[in-house]
Amino acid sequence: MIILTTFGRFQASEKNTVMDEKLWRSAKVGQLFVYLVMNRERSIGVDELTEHLWQNDDPTDNPGGALKNLVYRLRKGLKDAFGDREYILSGRGSYKWNTDVAVKMDVEDFEKYLKSASADKCTHTEQTIKQYEQAVDLYNGDFLLQWTDIHWIATLNTYYHSQFITIVKSLANIYAEEERYNELEKLCNKALTFEYGDEQIYCYLIEARMRMKKVQLAFESYEKAKTIMDKELGVRKTTMLNKVYDELLAVTKGKDSYDIDQVKEDMNEENMNGVFFCGYPVFKEIYHLEVRKSERTPVPQNLVLFTFFSEKQQNHNVFKLRIPNAMKALEHVLKMCLRVGDVAAKYSDTQYIVLLSKCDYDVAPLVADRIVRKFKKIFSVSEEINIKYDIEPVSAENSMVNDKSIVDNNRGV
């Protein structure tokens, strides 16, 4: 039996043999294979196949001839990998997968588990859980993600992703009701690797960690979720997150009263060396506090926004590959160079925001320059990545970071 995997990595295998991945360098061969297998109970006309493989804007002059060539290449690849069998049957103006050659597809098993779970949903909880868990285990990434420029693949990609999230939430609800918090935490962690911006899944994760007494991790999950909702997705109203956060505070602090010594012990920081790193939501609250304080006691403070960018459009793909390491390197440098009282946070995938405390405006560029120099020493320079910084003084009159670059140090790194 041929095992065809389409979630995450695309692969065809039988026993210990994996089909040569060189064949998939031709996207059309792989797409033809999947389409024939997914429709193996019927013969498929040449017009239908060419329509699904070559869209209207595709510059193929002779799609019929191109299809015949693709069928030949697919047959040869299958025979080379899995032996001399008749995999694809030819008819009058049509092709069909030979159903005598058994194929097992992950998406079909996924559908089977989902259908079974839906049928048992109201009466057989353990069976429902098992079916949901099997479906979740199968989902190791989006459907044929590398080929979503093809309409039918993009449509199925969206459908299966949506079904996966629906299954996750249904299973999470059961886990929560049955207080199976270890399974709930694992489920949410997997789901968030494929859907990082779902508020409800974050709420389930926070609840699991809260109930398991993983208080610090629960707070960190909340802070991460707020950052994603606020900055990356632009979602300002997070009702579910706010509710679970209130519950987290109630569970961790309770309704009892505490004396000042207990409160102080709870708030004490173990390590007060260097810059205070936090998530952006916390950074924003600290910034608001400093703006308010500046009304009463003017203390020189400055915001510095470090930004990585690429000047050449053709370097964009290399930039995307290198930026995670560049961000890690910059975080390391900020920890080396900044002082107690300074605050820093990741602002986006390519930016860090820093609040320099007790730092005059004319000194801030010197600090930023020092950080850039240190960064150059530990990160291999290239023309694909540049760094700049913008500086804005903190004051009540100028209480938001605007687009105006007061200092724009555009330097290739």
Side-chain angles (χ1 to χ4, degrees):
M1 178 182 289
I2 297 174
I3 307 298
L4 187 56
T5 303
T6 57
F7 286 139
R9 182 183 181 186
F10 177 54
Q11 181 176 281
S13 61
E14 188 174 45
K15 296 180 180 179
N16 296 322
T17 303
V18 178
M19 198 166 180
D20 191 350
E21 291 189 6
K22 291 180 181 178
L23 189 64
W24 310 132
R25 291 180 183 176
S26 170
K28 293 287 184 282
V29 175
Q31 292 160 19
L32 173 63
F33 185 16
V34 174
Y35 198 82
L36 288 172
V37 171
M38 292 190 77
N39 296 275
R40 59 188 178 277
E41 298 302 324
R42 65 186 180 93
S43 295
I44 310 170
V46 171
D47 289 344
E48 179 181 340
L49 284 170
T50 55
E51 179 184 348
H52 283 83
L53 293 170
W54 287 277
Q55 300 176 110
N56 293 332
D57 57 350
D58 196 291
T60 303
D61 296 328
N62 182 15
L67 176 61
K68 186 176 181 180
N69 180 53
L70 280 184
V71 172
Y72 168 79
R73 291 168 61 187
L74 178 56
R75 281 172 170 158
K76 185 177 185 305
L78 289 165
K79 287 181 180 180
D80 290 345
F82 306 131
D84 190 6
R85 288 177 283 182
E86 191 170 8
Y87 296 93
I88 304 170
L89 305 177
S90 300
R92 288 189 175 183
S94 66
Y95 294 99
K96 182 181 184 298
W97 181 263
N98 184 2
T99 52
D100 290 338
V101 180
V103 181
K104 184 180 178 66
M105 278 192 82
D106 52 359
V107 292
E108 293 173 348
D109 286 340
F110 182 84
E111 289 274 19
K112 180 183 70 175
Y113 294 138
L114 178 58
K115 184 177 180 180
S116 178
S118 298
D120 294 333
K121 196 170 186 180
C122 299
T123 54
H124 305 294
T125 302
E126 283 304 318
Q127 181 65 15
T128 301
I129 291 173
K130 182 179 179 181
Q131 300 294 331
Y132 279 148
E133 288 175 338
Q134 288 175 311
V136 169
D137 287 342
L138 276 177
Y139 197 93
N140 292 310
D142 286 343
F143 175 76
L144 298 179
L145 185 60
Q146 69 273 42
W147 296 333
T148 50
D149 56 326
I150 301 299
H151 179 71
W152 69 270
I153 292 178
T155 301
L156 288 175
N157 178 287
T158 302
Y159 167 75
Y160 288 124
H161 183 89
S162 175
Q163 290 299 309
F164 171 70
I165 298 303
T166 299
I167 290 170
V168 165
K169 291 180 180 179
S170 298
L171 182 56
N173 186 59
I174 296 173
Y175 281 157
E177 287 180 351
E178 298 194 354
E179 300 182 0
R180 295 165 63 167
Y181 297 120
N182 186 51
E183 291 102 318
L184 180 58
E185 181 184 30
K186 290 179 181 178
L187 173 67
C188 293
N189 279 329
K190 176 171 182 175
L192 289 169
T193 62
F194 306 122
E195 181 56 76
Y196 78 101
D198 192 288
E199 183 181 357
Q200 189 175 358
I201 296 176
Y202 272 112
C203 288
Y204 279 123
L205 177 61
I206 295 166
E207 180 182 358
R209 289 175 167 173
M210 175 174 61
R211 303 302 180 193
M212 295 165 68
K213 309 300 183 185
K214 298 180 179 180
V215 176
Q216 185 59 39
L217 283 176
F219 276 111
E220 288 175 4
S221 298
Y222 169 78
E223 188 176 307
K224 180 178 180 181
K226 284 291 286 183
T227 299
I228 291 172
M229 296 296 114
D230 184 34
K231 177 57 191 167
E232 298 189 29
L233 301 180
V235 179
R236 304 297 178 185
K237 188 176 181 181
T238 52
T239 306
M240 287 187 291
L241 271 176
N242 294 340
K243 183 178 179 180
V244 79
Y245 180 71
D246 290 340
E247 187 178 355
L248 177 58
L249 288 179
V251 168
T252 54
K253 301 305 178 188
K255 297 180 180 180
D256 296 330
S257 296
Y258 298 86
D259 61 37
I260 189 66
D261 290 333
Q262 290 173 306
V263 173
K264 182 180 178 183
E265 182 179 353
D266 182 52
M267 294 192 300
N268 278 344
E269 187 177 359
E270 293 182 6
N271 184 0
M272 290 187 62
N273 296 324
V275 60
F276 176 68
F277 257 91
C278 59
Y280 179 68
V282 174
F283 183 96
K284 188 162 61 172
E285 295 304 317
I286 293 173
Y287 172 72
H288 291 164
L289 176 61
E290 295 303 321
V291 169
R292 290 168 176 266
K293 286 165 63 176
S294 70
E295 282 274 78
R296 298 177 57 185
T297 308
V299 175
Q301 298 189 87
N302 289 277
L303 280 176
V304 185
L305 182 65
F306 292 94
T307 303
F308 291 111
F309 66 98
S310 177
E311 288 184 335
K312 298 180 180 179
Q313 186 63 33
Q314 60 266 35
N315 293 333
H316 182 66
N317 290 335
V318 178
F319 176 81
K320 288 176 64 177
L321 289 173
R322 299 201 69 198
I323 197 63
N325 288 334
M327 288 288 284
K328 288 179 183 177
L330 180 57
E331 178 180 343
H332 176 69
V333 171
L334 293 175
K335 290 177 179 178
M336 289 173 52
C337 294
L338 297 178
R339 309 159 299 167
V340 172
D342 296 333
V343 186
K346 182 180 178 181
Y347 189 73
S348 73
D349 287 344
T350 59
Q351 294 174 300
Y352 270 102
I353 186 78
V354 174
L355 178 62
L356 297 178
S357 178
K358 296 182 180 179
C359 176
D360 291 326
Y361 176 68
D362 56 350
V363 176
L366 302 179
V367 176
D369 281 333
R370 184 170 72 250
I371 290 169
V372 170
R373 288 197 301 272
K374 289 278 188 181
F375 174 82
K376 289 180 179 180
K377 288 183 179 180
I378 67 171
F379 188 81
S380 57
V381 297
S382 70
E383 63 179 11
E384 291 87 6
I385 292 183
N386 291 272
I387 187 171
K388 70 176 182 178
Y389 60 77
D390 303 329
I391 299 177
E392 193 80 24
V394 174
S395 67
E397 293 77 17
N398 190 20
S399 60
M400 295 182 64
V401 179
N402 58 33
D403 294 330
K404 180 182 177 184
S405 173
I406 292 181
V407 175
D408 189 352
N409 186 24
N410 229 351
R411 301 187 178 189
V413 176

